[in-house]
Amino acid sequence: MKIIKLLIIIFSLGLIFVSCSDDPVEVYPGIIVRVDTVFVKGVNRTYPTFTGSNTSDDRFYAFSGGASTDLSSMSGEDFTYETWIKVDSDALIGSLDSISGKTAGGANIMERGRNFELYLVEDSDADFAIKYNRLDDDNLALGSMNSSDSNINLSFDEWAHIAISRSSSDNTAKFYINGVLIDSSTDDLWIQPVNDTWLDFNYMYRGGNINFFKGSFDNIRVSYIDRYPTAFIPNQYEKFAVDSNTLLQMDLDENLTPFEPATDFDKVEIKGVYSYYIQVINTVYWTSEDSTVPTK
């Protein structure tokens, strides 16, 4: 009887292995458990959480240094910038009607000076909305898209996927939240200038460091192409696959590793062809989160 029970256990484990061994995309590490009659995959993710501290030592940014593998290598006509965010209830929420992120006062998600900015603004039927501005040389909005009038209602302490993209094949710039198209435009003003301005994540630089973000980031990627020509379903539990169109990718699923030589700052693993460093604020802390995902 013991032998029969042992064979049953081995056979069951073999079924679990087969059902999960052919995932086409790498997923976060975890274990397989059984809940009622459904097998689920346990996943553990770590991601950086930002306190909203607002000194120069609290910035999270990608430095652009004038090489062929930095931000200045973006064409301006074909691109995708994307990330996952979880906004704290104490984050700065800006004015929807202001003509720029500087005057709006909302927490920054991502920006390149004299290029574009993404930041938090007020929404009458949600905790917040997100505004996407194409900037002129004075960092004023040439064009704007925002989610306040869409069917997407964003909430504090919930993950949301944000993406902006453009394709030269159809001359269309697009703004997505959670894979839903918020707005689009074929106006040439959405072609980004080719410059070497930094890519700032948790703050905005407008003659000084302002509009610091309070909350979490995960899975940041910058690409040379339009990754999303149509609506899509983002999956935070699957890592992006690195390819020849990946300029910069940060999975943000590993703890910080110290610089060599040691400094007051830490760095994260960088994927893609980007050859410069990423500065991570020294007040960041790492959050670990366990979840279960149904197996395919």
Side-chain angles (χ1 to χ4, degrees), residues 50 53-60 202 212 265 281-283:
F50 299 80
S53 183
N54 59 0
T55 74
S56 61
D57 289 342
D58 295 314
R59 297 170 295 164
F60 177 26
N202 73 322
F212 280 77
F265 299 102
I281 65 173
N282 57 9
T283 53

Side-chain angles (χ1 to χ4, degrees), residues 29-72:
I31 58 174
I32 306 299
V33 296
R34 180 170 177 164
V35 179
D36 293 330
T37 59
V38 179
F39 289 108
V40 299
K41 181 173 294 185
V43 296
N44 174 266
R45 292 172 300 154
T46 57
Y47 52 84
T49 298
F50 299 80
T51 64
S53 183
N54 59 0
T55 74
S56 61
D57 289 342
D58 295 314
R59 297 170 295 164
F60 177 26
Y61 64 83
F63 175 74
S64 193
S68 60
T69 55
D70 73 3
L71 293 160
S72 63

Side-chain angles (χ1 to χ4, degrees), residues 139-159:
N139 286 318
L140 299 177
L142 287 171
S144 294
M145 302 180 186
N146 74 81
S147 67
S148 63
D149 296 326
S150 73
N151 293 326
I152 297 294
N153 294 321
L154 297 167
S155 300
F156 294 130
D157 300 317
E158 292 184 4
W159 285 106

Side-chain angles (χ1 to χ4, degrees), residues 18 66 82 109 126 130 143 164 168 176 193 210-211 266-267 281:
V18 170
E82 60 187 307
I109 298 170
I130 297 174
I164 58 172
S168 60
Y176 294 99
I210 61 173
N211 299 345
D266 292 321
K267 64 181 180 179
I281 65 173

